[in-house]
Amino acid sequence: MKETSSSKSISTKLERIAKMAKSMPGVPLSTLAHHMDIEWLHEAYRRTRKDAAVGVDGQTAAEYEANLEANLRSLLDRAKSGEHYRAPPVRRVYIPKGGDNTKLRPIGIPSFEDKVLQRAAAMVLEAVYEQDFLDCSYGFRPGRSAHQAVQAVWKQAMDMGGCWVLEVDIEDFFGSLDKAKLREIFCQRMRDGVLVRLIGKWLNAGVMEDGCICHPETGVPQGGVISPILSNVYLHEVLDQWFATQIRPRLKGRGHLTRFADDFVMTFEREQDARRMLDVLPKRFGKYGLRIHPTKTRLVRFYPPSSPSNSHEGEGQRQRSFDLLGFTLYWGRSRKGTWVVQQKTMKSRFRRALRHITLWCRENRHMPVSEQSKTLSQKLRGHYSYYGVTGNGRALENLYDEVRRIWHKWLGRRSNRPLYWDRMQAILKAFPLSRPRIVHSVYLRVAKP
């Protein structure tokens, strides 16, 4: 009951902050940190993941919770006073990028206490900036998802009957973001001394790798609790607002921007507008320390094959489709025979899922078959929950068939006795794997333009 009343109190405070920010658009806000009291930190602690990797101090959530009240009060006092709080460096680790084990993505892991304080600050910033952010932005925002972003692009292409798609890749966004520019953008809306000071300390905290601490001149740690909201603040100024106020009014035809964090595409009714954007975008980003990837950024003529605006002679499917947030969008025939935009799992994501399944089956082939079936079904359901969209049934069925084949292979290596397929069928009947299912209907849940 205490948690419920506390959560209601926090919701009231968040609504109050949001109402103030909405009533004062573009005005720097200077009285926000007083909302961050002990109750606020308790809520931030509740929202912080407890099972994540530890930071440089090695402290776990359980260890922090053992003396939670005293720890939170000490953290609050140090954060408010400013002089006694020092942001610890983040611990840098590397994870495979895009499922390719040859390419690694750096991830920064803050200490648990820092995660709590960053969450507390992020709650304030979110309440303010949600009043400023535009509808074209979908990443790391409450009530918004990657599926909504993909559906928005789907609707744009369908409404225009085909379009020119500018598929953009920002090269090392989190590592190249200009800290000075970020502070400048941040202070246009935030003048609260406590929050400005905290953001500055987190940006200058440094990174620990192999026992050595370095202080990069650019970038924010990808993986930090505060990083998503800061990246949205940055790209709101660099891209979203610029496109809405300076680019769209000058277009000869319709044009749309759809962004999820640092992934975005632009759709244009006219080729002239798309090519002009392709020319000007690198210059705009260059002013803010960002680079457009020269080979991963491309312009796609995205029209139905039968459209007079389209000619597929000499073009493969790669030139007639584009990727967005794990999906490949392309034109295909509906059940009624009309051309519609369809979605399927990106080939790289499909291969990555199979690699993870293969590795798991190899390492756990001696587990009881019932336990293996349960875990594999959980993995499949997790895949379906994201990729189970209208029109992607074939890819889901292919994954299901491949997982059965992989499972059969590694069950057969539990002993020297061969596992024939009729025996495997009996196992699948006794311990069935989760069948593919469509979770997201693109026709029923179309995002607003």
Side-chain angles (χ1 to χ4, degrees), residues 224-374:
V225 176
I226 201 69
S227 298
I229 183 69
L230 292 182
S231 65
N232 269 339
V233 169
Y234 200 69
L235 287 175
H236 170 75
E237 173 73 19
V238 176
L239 181 62
D240 303 354
Q241 193 111 306
W242 172 70
F243 183 85
T245 60
Q246 299 186 40
I247 299 300
R248 179 175 277 172
R250 294 180 171 87
L251 298 178
K252 302 297 183 181
R254 286 175 288 179
H256 303 278
L257 164 68
T258 304
R259 180 176 66 82
F260 188 95
D262 60 323
D263 292 321
F264 69 95
V265 298
M266 296 176 172
T267 55
F268 298 95
E269 187 176 19
R270 298 193 178 186
E271 179 182 3
Q272 178 185 3
D273 291 333
R275 294 199 178 278
R276 287 178 60 190
M277 176 56 65
L278 185 59
D279 289 337
V280 74
L281 196 60
K283 301 173 185 176
R284 171 67 178 182
F285 275 32
K287 290 174 58 178
Y288 292 87
L290 302 177
R291 300 180 302 277
I292 300 297
H293 200 292
T295 58
K296 294 182 180 180
T297 298
R298 64 193 187 102
L299 186 59
V300 179
R301 185 197 296 113
F302 191 66
Y303 285 90
S306 60
S307 171
S309 302
N310 196 24
S311 173
H312 289 318
E313 294 182 6
E315 292 185 352
Q317 187 179 21
R318 170 66 177 165
Q319 285 71 41
R320 305 193 305 267
S321 62
F322 64 96
D323 297 331
L324 178 63
L325 300 174
F327 293 97
T328 296
L329 278 72
Y330 65 100
W331 287 95
R333 292 282 190 181
S334 70
R335 292 182 179 180
K336 295 182 179 180
T338 59
W339 288 105
V340 296
V341 179
Q342 297 184 342
Q343 306 169 42
K344 64 181 179 180
T345 310
M346 284 174 53
K347 290 182 179 179
S348 61
R349 299 294 180 89
F350 187 88
R351 292 192 296 265
R352 181 173 70 181
L354 290 183
R355 280 198 295 269
H356 290 170
I357 293 291
T358 299
L359 180 62
W360 188 89
C361 287
R362 184 181 69 186
E363 293 179 347
N364 298 276
R365 62 185 181 273
H366 295 294
M367 285 177 56
V369 173
S370 60
E371 292 297 318
Q372 291 190 48
S373 172
K374 180 179 179 181

Side-chain angles (χ1 to χ4, degrees), residues 370-387:
S370 60
E371 292 297 318
Q372 291 190 48
S373 172
K374 180 179 179 181
T375 302
L376 287 174
S377 289
Q378 290 175 344
K379 293 179 180 295
L380 285 170
R381 286 194 296 270
H383 187 91
Y384 303 153
S385 68
Y386 186 81
Y387 293 102

Side-chain angles (χ1 to χ4, degrees), residues 36 40 117-126 195 198 202 226:
M36 293 172 55
W40 191 278
L117 188 56
Q118 288 189 23
R119 176 64 63 196
M123 289 162 58
V124 178
L125 301 188
E126 183 181 278
L195 289 170
L198 286 175
W202 287 323
I226 201 69

Side-chain angles (χ1 to χ4, degrees), residues 181-189 233-234 237 288:
K181 291 286 187 180
L182 175 58
R183 290 192 191 93
E184 181 182 324
I185 294 169
F186 183 75
C187 289
Q188 291 175 4
R189 192 65 160 123
V233 169
Y234 200 69
E237 173 73 19
Y288 292 87

